[in-house]
Every structure is written in structure tokens, then in C-alpha cells.
Amino acid sequence: RYLLEQDFPGMRIGPEPTTDSFIAVMYGETEGNVPGNALVVDPKKPFRKLSRFGNAFLNRFMCSQLPNEVLKSISIIDSPGILSGEKQRISRGYDFCQVLQWFAERVDRIILLFDAHKLDISDEFSEAIKSFRGQDDKIRVVLNKADQVDTQQLMRVYGALMWSLGKVIDTPEVLRVYIGSFWAHPLRNTDNRRLFEAEAQDLFQDIQSLPQKAAVRKLNDLIKRARLAKVHAYIISYLKKEMPSVFGKENKKKELINKLPEIYIQLQREYHISAGDFPEVKKMQELLENCDFTKFHSLKPKLIEAVDNMLANKIASLMNLISQEESNMPTEMVHGGAFDGTMAGPFGHGYGEGAKEGADEEEWVVAKDKPAYDEIFYTLSPINGKISGISAKKEMVTSKLPNSVLGKIWKLADCDGDGMLDDEEFALAKHLIKIKLDGYELPGTLPSHLVPPSHRKPFQTAE
């Protein structure tokens, strides 16, 4: 709702657990709902494989279509609210974690939402997060409603969230957490307004980059599936080869299932496969219980060669094609909804701050502090109204900024490139040092509003 800035069919928002369905929010010329059973038989939609989860799930699945600019670039899957009571959890009627896993394998980004004022990871949420194993790079965390607590409480909540996530998500990397209040109402506590704005901007940039990376992600998934299929073929053909032709099939099957971890190690050595490419042992053992090993196929070396050839040669050429296509096409960005609110006008992120300060003012922004800078300038013994690089260096290093940064500031401030600074150039250098010390980035090139008045080129009058 926050991203689209528009209600969508089937939407309910409230403090209580409201959504009880998976809702696929997608672009459509007309606004409306498509129920789950009709959705999985539609060849134009990517949901046909979901039919295996049965009616209990399909009755809780729908697609909301509406003509919204944001949805031209991205589609959103809104999952049901997480339950915490044991009685409630049994009543879903379908394997909730299996459905989440199905979606996790196919989406570009997984966003976990937490409330700052009632932070707790329930058993079901913990299981849901565990079902995202192997998709850690897609996960982002949003700590919402952060305006309902003060700064001290927010620090404690953030620490508690990171601790809780560390227990659930088994990864050495720290997850990216975005802190803010993601709705269009006034902030209850405005102490951290700048933090919330910067975090929201980072989240928007993360989401906006998704359409550009979609082709690469699909290619990445193709490689992942090809590697898994290859390993699967080795496992299945080994089990087939070990089966007796006449007697003792059932006992041999049980023996092979129990020996699966040893079989994995043997195949790793024999075919030089990474341990990370093998499916999870317990899950594989469960699936093999219901299989007839005698019906498995033997290994076909030609097919394995074809997969190896694809991974070694074909993928590289596909990657080149994608790179060429991306360079020839305009950068695809998400537009509309909340994304447009942060791009234009004086409320865009960073507007009027750092190097952008004074961009829409007639007077030179450095002028207000120039008297103080002039006092320092004249203590450095200027000759013919200018100070040398050595004199400037003595003053500039007092900022304790590294030489690489000071070198960039010198380059920006020495407008005429004569290796010396006049009073205006020196004031500009001090202003740029202040920008950096305040935590803002330096511009790549000097913006026109920061150019000292005496160094600005006069407007050429039309003849």
C-alpha cells in the first residue's frame, strides 16, 4: 500500500492479523480479482505449478490486478500474516513453508517485516525464515513503525532484532535492515526523521535496481538448476546401479537410503563436485522412501557432456548478450507511487544538504562563512592575494581528513588550476572540508552554484 500509494482489491490493513491469503499484486488494465483456481490454469500467468498444493491453498490464493505505474516494472506477492498460536497454525490446511519456499525460489527480493513496538519472532515466522535457506542473498529486513519508539528504545529494539535473526538465519553475513515508518501518516516521534528518510531512500534504490538485474538473476537460476540436475543424475544413476536384479530389492533400498551421506562423499570424490551442490540429506532420504529404485535411469554421459558444455561455453555467450542488451537499452527503473515522491522537488533525498546546499539560492552559499575563512586565509601570509599549496596544506591537514580526500578537495577548489588559492578558492576548500566532516559525499565535479563568483564565466550576450 505504501509503495503503490493506492488501495488494491482484497487489501485489508489493521493492527490485528488481517491478510489470510497469498495475494499476487500485478499490473492489469482494469482493476479486479482473479481467484486461485482460475489463476493456476491461466497460461499467461507464472503460477501453474502451484496447483500441486491443492484446494486448501488455492482458496487462499488470489491475484489483484490494477493499472498502477509501479506494477509495470515489479509484481508483489503479499503473504498471509504470521500466526503464533499452535491451534491457529494447524488450521491452515496446506504446507505454508513449502508454498513460501516455492515463491522464494522465483522472486527477486524477499522482504521480512517486523514491528518496532512488538518485536518477536514466533515459531511459525522462524520456520518461514528457515524455508528461505539458500536464498539468503535475496533477503532484506524492514523494521517498521520505528517512529512509535524513542531513539534509546529503537537502539535496543534494533539490537534485539539482530540477535533474534542471528539465531534463525544461519549465515555469517549481517542482514541489511531498513529502519523507518512505511506509511503516509505523520511521524509520532520525529527525532530520527533524517535516519528514516535515508533508510527509505536506500530501500527504494534496492527495489528500483531489481528490473535491471532480472535477466542476470534468471540466468543465475538456470545455472543453479543445471548444476543441481547434474548432481541429481549422478545420485539417481548410482542408486540404480547398486540395486540387485532379482532378490533383496527392498532391503538394498533401505540400506542405500541409510548410506546416503557416504554416497554423497563418494560421488564428490569421483566426479569432483562441490558439497554445496548436493541436496539436503534428510529431505532426499524422505523423498527416496516412496521411490522404486529399479525404475531409475542409468547415467547418460552424452547428456552430462551437454550440460558441462552449456555451463562452460554457452552461458558465457548468453552473459555477453545480456550485457550488450543492457548497454543498448535505457536503464529500467521503477516509477510511480512512493518512488516518484522521492525523486523531484525540494523533498528529494539530500536536497539542500551537503554539496547541494545553496543550489537554488542567488547568493554564493560559501559567502555566509567567508569572513571566518578570510581571517585564517590572511594568517597564512598570502602573496599577491594568493597562498601556495604548502601554506594551504598546513591549514587543510588540521581537519584530520586523509590525503586522498584533501587531494580531491584541492582539485575542486583550485578553479583556475594555477596551483595556488585566492581568498574565494580557500573559502571554497574550507566549505568542502566542512561538507565532508558533516558526513556528506564530495561531488565528482564542482557544481555551478559552488563556483566562486570571481571565477564564473560571464554570460555571453547574443549578437
Side-chain angles (χ1 to χ4, degrees):
R1 174 67 183 79
Y2 174 72
L3 294 176
L4 302 180
E5 292 188 343
Q6 182 183 348
D7 290 358
F8 55 87
M11 183 193 85
R12 275 182 66 211
I13 296 173
E16 77 285 5
T18 49
T19 317
D20 66 343
S21 303
F22 279 88
I23 304 176
V25 188
M26 304 177 82
Y27 183 81
E29 293 298 331
T30 54
E31 196 170 309
N33 269 343
V34 182
N37 282 293
L39 204 55
V40 293
V41 295
D42 186 349
K44 292 179 182 176
K45 295 279 191 293
F47 304 119
R48 301 188 79 169
K49 294 282 175 71
L50 282 168
S51 57
R52 69 184 171 94
F53 294 107
N55 262 334
F57 165 70
L58 296 177
N59 291 335
R60 292 267 174 263
F61 180 47
M62 59 188 263
C63 176
S64 281
Q65 293 186 313
L66 64 156
N68 186 290
E69 191 72 22
V70 175
L71 299 173
K72 285 183 178 179
S73 309
I74 56 171
S75 296
I76 303 166
I77 307 294
D78 181 21
S79 67
I82 296 292
L83 305 174
S84 54
E86 195 63 36
K87 283 181 184 173
Q88 295 169 298
R89 287 175 56 201
I90 295 167
S91 66
R92 281 205 195 267
Y94 61 90
D95 194 330
F96 180 60
C97 288
Q98 284 286 313
V99 175
L100 284 178
Q101 196 173 355
W102 189 92
F103 279 114
E105 286 168 3
R106 289 157 179 82
V107 297
D108 292 289
R109 183 67 72 239
I110 300 164
I111 297 177
L112 306 177
L113 284 154
F114 292 90
D115 281 4
H117 64 93
K118 49 178 182 184
L119 181 64
D120 182 36
I121 300 183
S122 67
D123 291 349
E124 190 177 45
F125 203 177
S126 177
E127 284 170 28
I129 293 169
K130 282 173 184 170
S131 67
F132 299 142
R133 278 224 172 104
Q135 315 292 338
D136 303 329
D137 58 317
K138 296 179 181 178
I139 298 175
R140 300 288 183 274
V141 177
V142 168
L143 184 57
N144 198 13
K145 304 180 186 175
D147 64 321
Q148 296 191 11
V149 293
D150 62 33
T151 307
Q152 188 181 13
Q153 290 169 330
L154 183 60
M155 284 176 68
R156 288 176 180 165
V157 168
Y158 180 79
L161 174 63
M162 298 307 285
W163 183 85
S164 303
L165 287 171
K167 295 277 182 187
V168 181
I169 299 175
D170 194 16
T171 169
E173 292 88 14
V174 176
L175 284 173
R176 177 66 170 95
V177 178
Y178 299 95
I179 304 167
S181 179
F182 296 92
W183 69 346
H185 293 257
L187 298 175
R188 290 193 184 179
N189 191 327
T190 56
D191 293 353
N192 300 306
R193 185 188 182 106
R194 274 186 65 180
L195 169 69
F196 298 160
E197 285 172 0
E199 291 285 284
Q201 193 64 27
D202 286 354
L203 179 62
F204 287 164
Q205 284 173 358
D206 188 66
I207 295 171
Q208 283 182 312
S209 68
L210 295 177
Q212 295 165 253
K213 297 171 184 170
V216 176
R217 188 195 62 78
K218 283 173 188 168
L219 189 60
N220 187 49
D221 283 354
L222 174 68
I223 297 164
K224 199 189 286 185
R225 285 174 73 92
R227 288 166 71 106
L228 288 172
K230 186 177 146 185
V231 172
H232 196 76
Y234 284 134
I235 297 167
I236 296 302
S237 61
Y238 181 89
L239 296 173
K240 161 82 172 176
K241 188 176 72 178
E242 291 294 308
M243 286 300 283
S245 52
V246 186
F247 300 111
K249 290 179 182 176
E250 203 56 40
N251 288 336
K252 188 65 178 175
K253 176 182 167 179
K254 285 179 184 173
E255 186 192 325
L256 288 169
I257 290 172
N258 291 330
K259 279 175 62 183
L260 198 60
E262 295 163 38
I263 293 167
Y264 277 13
I265 293 165
Q266 192 178 329
L267 292 173
Q268 279 176 48
R269 288 176 186 155
E270 193 177 336
Y271 297 106
H272 309 291
I273 306 165
S274 167
D277 286 351
F278 282 84
E280 203 180 327
V281 175
K282 279 186 183 175
K283 194 177 175 187
M284 194 67 174
Q285 285 171 328
E286 284 170 21
L287 292 169
L288 288 171
E289 291 280 355
N290 305 316
C291 298
D292 183 356
F293 289 12
T294 56
K295 290 183 179 175
F296 287 165
H297 292 282
S298 299
L299 193 68
K300 292 173 181 160
K302 279 193 175 179
L303 292 178
I304 296 291
E305 277 176 34
V307 173
D308 285 338
N309 180 41
M310 180 196 76
L311 292 170
N313 305 313
K314 303 276 177 69
I315 294 293
S317 56
L318 266 176
M319 197 70 212
N320 286 335
L321 284 171
I322 289 171
S323 302
Q324 285 171 19
E325 196 174 285
E326 282 179 352
S327 59
N328 293 335
M329 287 172 69
T331 305
E332 195 177 344
M333 295 284 275
V334 181
H335 290 284
F339 295 97
D340 283 354
T342 62
M343 289 179 190
F347 299 98
H349 180 64
Y351 190 94
E353 297 173 7
K356 295 174 187 173
E357 186 189 352
D360 48 7
E361 293 173 17
E362 283 185 27
E363 194 181 348
W364 188 39
V365 70
V366 185
K368 64 180 187 292
D369 296 317
K370 192 170 179 291
Y373 298 148
D374 282 349
E375 282 182 29
I376 302 166
F377 179 78
Y378 289 111
T379 63
L380 299 171
S381 311
I383 300 164
N384 298 327
K386 293 193 174 190
I387 57 169
S388 66
I390 296 166
S391 301
K393 181 184 175 182
K394 284 177 188 172
E395 173 57 31
M396 289 169 74
V397 293
T398 60
S399 66
K400 297 182 181 175
L401 287 170
N403 283 353
S404 56
V405 175
L406 292 174
K408 188 176 181 184
I409 290 170
W410 174 270
K411 203 173 174 183
L412 291 169
D414 186 12
C415 300
D416 51 15
D418 64 352
M420 302 180 86
L421 300 181
D422 61 25
D423 61 326
E424 287 186 344
E425 289 173 328
F426 178 76
L428 173 60
K430 292 290 282 182
H431 181 72
L432 292 169
I433 286 170
K434 182 174 174 286
I435 287 170
K436 190 65 186 171
L437 292 175
D438 287 345
Y440 298 102
E441 287 303 311
L442 293 170
T445 54
L446 194 65
S448 56
H449 70 276
L450 285 182
V451 176
S454 62
H455 292 271
R456 291 177 189 176
K457 290 173 183 174
F459 290 107
Q460 291 179 339
T461 51
E463 289 180 11

